[in-house]
Amino acid sequence: MNNELVLVFDFGSQFGQLIARRVREQHVFCQLVRHDITAERVKELNPKGIILSGGPSSVYEDGAPKCDPKIFDLGIPVLGICYGMQLACHLLGGHVAPAHSREYGRATLNVTNANQLFRGYPVESTVWMSHGDQVHAMSGDFEPLASTDTCPVAAVKHKNRPVYGIQFHPEVSHTPHGGQILANFLRDVCGCQGLWRMQTFIDETVAKIRAQVGDKRVICGLSGGVDSAVCAALLVKAIGPQVACIYVDNGMMREGETDLVRHTFRDWFKADLTVVHAAEHFLAALQGVTDPQEKRKIIGRVFIEIFKNEANAIPDAHFLAQGTLYPDVIESGGSADGPAATIKLHHNVGGLPAELGFELVEPLRDLFKDEVRRLGLELGLPEEVVWRHPFPGPGLAVRCLGEITADKLTALRMADTIFLEELHKAGWYRKTSQAFAVLLPVRSVGVMGDGRTYENTIAIRCVQTDDFMTADWSHLPHDLLARVSTAIINRVKGVNRVVYDISSKPPATIEWE
C-alpha cells in the first residue's frame, strides 16, 4: 500500500487534510505528518514526494514552525504550498516579507514558464489565494514560473533541486485546475504511477487483520452508521465467524435503523449479530434531564454498561474493532508522525473505555470518509447503508431538545423520516451531506380546522460539506421545503410549525446539541 507514499508536512493549514485527500484522488497514498519530522525519519519512510502545507504563521517570526532543512538534501521532490513555498524559499536563501497588497480570494494566475509543474496548464487561469506575506526576493538558485497582478512570484522552481513552490492553493475547489498541478507534481516530478487502489487496500488489510487476530474472536460494535458497518464488513471478509457484532438499540435510532442493521449483517453477510433492545433502560436514565452534555454522559454510561455485559458473554473474545478513520487519528494526535496538536479527544464506538480489556483492531484508520464509502461498495454493502447520512452517537437524544420522552421521540422520528423521504423523492438526498429534523422545546399558536392550536415546532436542517469541519446550509428548492412542511404538520401529531435552519458551520454547528 505504501510503495508510493507522499508526505504532507502540516504547518497548521485549514486545508491540510484536504491536500492529503486530493493526493489520494490521484491514486497515490498520502499521509499528514508533523512539520518537525526529522530528515532521518523521512528517509526511513522513503516517500516519493513531500508537500509542505500552508499555515497561519509568518516564516520570519520567532517561533514560526519550520521543517528540518536537511529534507532538501535528500533528493526527494518537494512542493511548497502558500506558507510551504515561503518556507522553502526562506530556508534556501530567499527573502519573505509582508506583501504590499494582500491576496485573499480569487486571483488570475499568469504562467510564464510551464516547466514540469505547469505542463498542460492554462496560461491564464483562476486560482485561490490566502496570504499576507510573499516572496520578495529569490536567491539565484530559484526561477519564477508564474505571477498575479499583486504577486510577482506566485510560483517558483529551484534550479538545482527538485523543489517547487506555489503561492496559491491547488487543493481547493476555487482553483479549478489545481488537480492538474498536483497530478503533474506526483507523476512527472515524483514519478508516481498511481498504485493506490481500494482493492489493494482490501487485500493488504485483510492480511493484516488475520495476522493480528489469529484464531481469537473479535467484537465489533455496530452503531448503524457507515463507519462501523464498513468496519464490520471488512472483518467478516477477513475472519468470517470469528467476528461477533453487537448492536445496542437505545430507542433513539432513526426509523428502520435496527431492521436495516439486522438485515444487512445477519441476512446479507451471515454475521454473528446480537441485537440488544434497551430503550427502556436509556429512557429511565434520561428522565428529567435537559442539559445536552448530561444527556451524552448518561447515554455513554448506560451504553458501556450494556455493551460490557454483552461482550463478556462472548467466549474467547480478545479484540475490539472500531471504525476509527484517518481524520480521527490526525485530530487526536494518535500517530507518532502525525500533527502535534490534539484537536479533540480520540472518540470511538460509544466511547468504550480501556478497562474493557480488549486489544484494538482499527482497520479503517488510514482512510478518509469518502474512501470508506468506496470501500463499503467494494465489500458489497447495500447502497442505502453506504450512503446514509451521518448520525450522532447519542442518536435522536441530541435532536430532541429539552427533556426526552417516548412521545417526543415518536414525533421526532416521524418528522425526520418524512423529511428524508421527501429528499429522496426529489433527488436531493445524495446531493446533500447531512439532513435531519430537530424537535424544539418551543410551542406556538396555530390554526387547524378553524380551531386554535398551541403545539410544537420542528426545525429541519440540511447541509453540504466535504469534510464536516465546515459546512454550508443546502439551498433546497422552495417547493420542496413547502412539501416537507405540509407533510410534517399534517402527519405528525402535536406539530403545527416547521422552520428551516440556514446557519453555516462556523459559527453554528451541524447538530443542535
Side-chain angles (χ1 to χ4, degrees), residues 429-478:
Y429 186 82
R430 288 279 294 272
K431 295 178 184 178
T432 61
S433 304
Q434 191 169 1
F436 54 91
V438 181
L439 180 63
L440 305 183
V442 176
R443 300 175 72 188
S444 64
V445 174
V447 178
M448 288 184 179
D450 296 326
R452 179 184 183 275
T453 63
Y454 189 58
E455 295 181 329
N456 298 310
T457 302
I458 287 284
I460 53 176
R461 179 85 159 129
C462 191
V463 300
Q464 291 168 290
T465 177
D466 287 328
D467 53 18
F468 290 90
M469 298 178 73
T470 62
D472 192 16
W473 60 279
S474 300
H475 293 239
L476 300 180
H478 289 180

Side-chain angles (χ1 to χ4, degrees), residues 396 399-400 408-416 437-439 458:
L396 297 179
R399 295 176 180 174
C400 182
K408 286 183 178 180
L409 289 173
T410 297
L412 175 57
R413 188 176 291 112
M414 183 177 294
D416 187 72
V438 181
L439 180 63
I458 287 284

